[in-house]
C-alpha cells in the first residue's frame, strides 16, 4: 500500500485517506459496470401517468407524519420537491403548507377541493422519484426526443440531467479576446424539464478559454424562453439550431471588458466571500477560500483596518476599491464552480451570483480603472479534499 496512505491512516486523517486511495486505485471495474447497468435510456426512464387528486390521495405513503412516498402499479416513488411544488400549485397555496399540516392531510384537502381534476404526473423509474404534477394540458416533449435533438447537434459541449431537467451546453461559435485577460467563447445553456413543469429556456454563458472556466449568466437579460409547438422534437430542433440573442451577446462582451477595466469594490469582494461562507460545505475549505480571495483582492481587510469586511457599512463598502478587478472576483467564482463544484451545496447559486454581476453596473465603474492583467488561475495550490474537474 502507498506509504502516504499508511501515514494518513496513522494520523487519523480519513478524508485524505479516501482521496489518496481514489487517486491510487481509482474505481473498481465492477463498480463502473454496476453504475453503467443502472442507467436507463431516457425513452424508458421517464413515464407519464394521468391521475386525479383523488387517486394521488389514495396512493400516498405516510410514515411518522412525513410524506415518504407514493405508489403506482405496485411501485413506490419518493416525492421530489417538484412534485410537492406541483401539488401546492394545484391547491393554490404556498409550499410552506407542508410544514404546517401533515402531507396526507394536504393531499386529502386537494382531493376534496377537486377530486376529478385531470392531472399528469411524471415518474422517474430509474431513481424511483415522483417528479412534476401538472394539469393534463398539452403534451410535453418526451425525454428521449430531447436527448436525441441535443446529442445530434454538433455544437454540444456538455449534456446532463438533474432534478427533472435535461440540460445541454452548446458553443455558439463566437469568441472575443478580452484585453488583459483571455479569449472568451459564447455558449448557450439550454434546459428542458422532462415533466412539463416550466418551459424550456436558453441562457447565455461565457467560456474563459485560458482555464476552461464556464459561467452561466443567470439573469433575465440573458435568458430566452422557448415556446415549443409540438412534442415530436422537430420544432425544438429548429428553435435550438436557430437560437440567437444578439443583444445579450453584445451585452456580455461589453460587461466582460468593463469587468477587466474596473477595480472591484470591497462590497463586491464581500458578496463573493458571503457566497463562499453560505455555499461551501466544509468550514476548513471556507477558510482556505476566503484567505485566497483576500490575497486576490490585495488584502482589503488589512488596507481598511478591519478583521471582517462585513464590519464596514454596506454603503461605504460599495465606494472602497480593492486591488482586484471585478473580473478577478468573477473568475474566482467561475473557477470554483467549474473545477471544484463538488465542494458547493448548489452550483446554480454561483451562476446566479455571476448573473447579478453581469446584469448591473459595477460599483466603481468609470471611477477606479484597473490595468493589471488577470491571472490564469486563482485556486491553484488549495487542497479542497477532492480532485479538481476539468
Amino acid at each position: 500500500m502507498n506509504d502516504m496512505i499508511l501515514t494518513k491512516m496513522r494520523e487519523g486523517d480519513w478524508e485524505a485517506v479516501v482521496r489518496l486511495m481514489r487517486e491510487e486505485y481509482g474505481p473498481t471495474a465492477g463498480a463502473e459496470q454496476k453504475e453503467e447497468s443502472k442507467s436507463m435510456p431516457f425513452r424508458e426512464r421517464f413515464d407519464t401517468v394521468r391521475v386525479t387528486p383523488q387517486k394521488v390521495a389514495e396512493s400516498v405513503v405516510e410514515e411518522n407524519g412525513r410524506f415518504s412516498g407514493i405508489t403506482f402499479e405496485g411501485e413506490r416513488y419518493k416525492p421530489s420537491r417538484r412534485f410537492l411544488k406541483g401539488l401546492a400549485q394545484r391547491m393554490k397555496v404556498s409550499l410552506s403548507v407542508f410544514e404546517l399540516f401533515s402531507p396526507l392531510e394536504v393531499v386529502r384537502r386537494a382531493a376534496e377541493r377537486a377530486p376529478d381534476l385531470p392531472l399528469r404526473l411524471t415518474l422517474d423509474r430509474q431513481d424511483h422519484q415522483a417528479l412534476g404534477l401538472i394539469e393534463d394540458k398539452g403534451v410535453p416533449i418526451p425525454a428521449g426526443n430531447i436527448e436525441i435533438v441535443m446529442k445530434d447537434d454538433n455544437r454540444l459541449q456538455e449534456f446532463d440531467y438533474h432534478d427533472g431537467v435535461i440540460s445541454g451546453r452548446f458553443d455558439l461559435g463566437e469568441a472575443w479576446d478580452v484585453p488583459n485577460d483571455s479569449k472568451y467563447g459564447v455558449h448557450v445553456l439550454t434546459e428542458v424539464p422532462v415533466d412539463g413543469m416550466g418551459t424550456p429556456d436558453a441562457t447565455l454563458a461565457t467560456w474563459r478559454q485560458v482555464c476552461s472556466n464556464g459561467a452561466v449568466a443567470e439573469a433575465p437579460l440573458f435568458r430566452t424562453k422557448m415556446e415549443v409547438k409540438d412534442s415530436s422534437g422537430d420544432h425544438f430542433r429548429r428553435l435550438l439550431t436557430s437560437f440567437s440573442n444578439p443583444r445579450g451577446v453584445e451585452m456580455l462582451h461589453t460587461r466582460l471588458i468593463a469587468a477587466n477595466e474596473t477595480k472591484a469594490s470591497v462590497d463586491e469582494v464581500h458578496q463573493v466571500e458571503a457566497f463562499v461562507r453560505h455555499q461551501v460545505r466544509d468550514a476548513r475549505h471556507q477558510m482556505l477560500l476566503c484567505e485566497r480571495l483576500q490575497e486576490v483582492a490585495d488584502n482589503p481587510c488589512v488596507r481598511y483596518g478591519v478583521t471582517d469586511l462585513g464590519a464596514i457599512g454596506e454603503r461605504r463598502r460599495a465606494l472602497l476599491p480593492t486591488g482586484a478587478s471585478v473580473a478577478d472576483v468573477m473568475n474566482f467564482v467561475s473557477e470554483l464552480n467549474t473545477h471544484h463544484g463538488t465542494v458547493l451545496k448548489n452550483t446554480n447559486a454561483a451562476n446566479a451570483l455571476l448573473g447579478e454581476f453581469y446584469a448591473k453596473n459595477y460599483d466603481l465603474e468609470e471611477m477606479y480603472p484597473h490595468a493589471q492583467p488577470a491571472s490564469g488561475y486563482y485556486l491553484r495550490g488549495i487542497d479542497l479534499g477532492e480532485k479538481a474537474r476539468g
Side-chain angles (χ1 to χ4, degrees), residues 123-140:
L123 302 173
D124 180 345
R125 296 201 178 275
Q126 178 172 300
D127 291 346
H128 278 79
Q129 195 172 42
L131 298 175
L133 181 68
I134 63 175
E135 290 189 37
D136 190 14
K137 295 179 180 178
V139 182

Side-chain angles (χ1 to χ4, degrees), residues 38-203:
K38 281 176 58 181
S39 182
M40 295 175 65
F42 276 13
R43 66 180 181 277
E44 300 173 8
R45 176 172 175 174
F46 301 102
D47 195 12
T48 298
V49 294
R50 286 177 166 78
V51 296
T52 61
Q54 184 62 45
K55 185 172 182 180
V56 171
E58 293 168 356
S59 304
V60 167
V61 179
E62 188 177 32
E63 293 178 350
N64 299 320
R66 297 183 65 85
F67 196 165
S68 63
I70 189 165
T71 58
F72 282 96
E73 298 177 356
E75 291 195 53
R76 182 163 162 175
Y77 298 87
K78 297 171 292 187
S80 67
R81 185 169 179 79
R82 296 177 73 85
F83 174 85
L84 296 177
K85 181 180 178 182
L87 181 60
Q89 287 176 345
R90 302 290 75 74
M91 289 188 65
K92 297 180 172 56
V93 296
S94 166
L95 261 175
S96 61
V97 72
F98 293 102
E99 298 171 8
L100 302 173
F101 304 97
S102 75
L104 191 55
E105 185 177 357
V106 173
V107 175
R108 282 175 176 164
R109 288 190 181 188
E112 289 171 2
R113 173 176 291 183
D116 300 318
L117 178 68
L119 301 174
R120 188 167 64 235
L121 172 64
T122 299
L123 302 173
D124 180 345
R125 296 201 178 275
Q126 178 172 300
D127 291 346
H128 278 79
Q129 195 172 42
L131 298 175
L133 181 68
I134 63 175
E135 290 189 37
D136 190 14
K137 295 179 180 178
V139 182
I141 312 173
N145 292 4
I146 300 168
E147 180 183 24
I148 289 170
V149 170
M150 286 191 176
K151 289 186 174 179
D152 278 352
D153 194 316
N154 58 16
R155 303 169 302 162
L156 183 67
Q157 304 294 305
E158 288 181 3
F159 178 85
D160 193 21
Y161 167 79
H162 179 69
D163 190 28
V165 178
I166 294 175
S167 62
R169 185 169 56 81
F170 301 85
D171 188 345
L172 288 186
E174 293 198 45
W176 323 291
D177 281 308
V178 175
N180 283 331
D181 192 346
S182 165
K183 177 173 275 192
Y184 282 79
V186 185
H187 290 186
V188 59
L189 178 69
T190 302
E191 297 185 320
V192 185
V194 300
D195 52 16
M197 180 175 282
T199 57
D201 60 40
T203 307

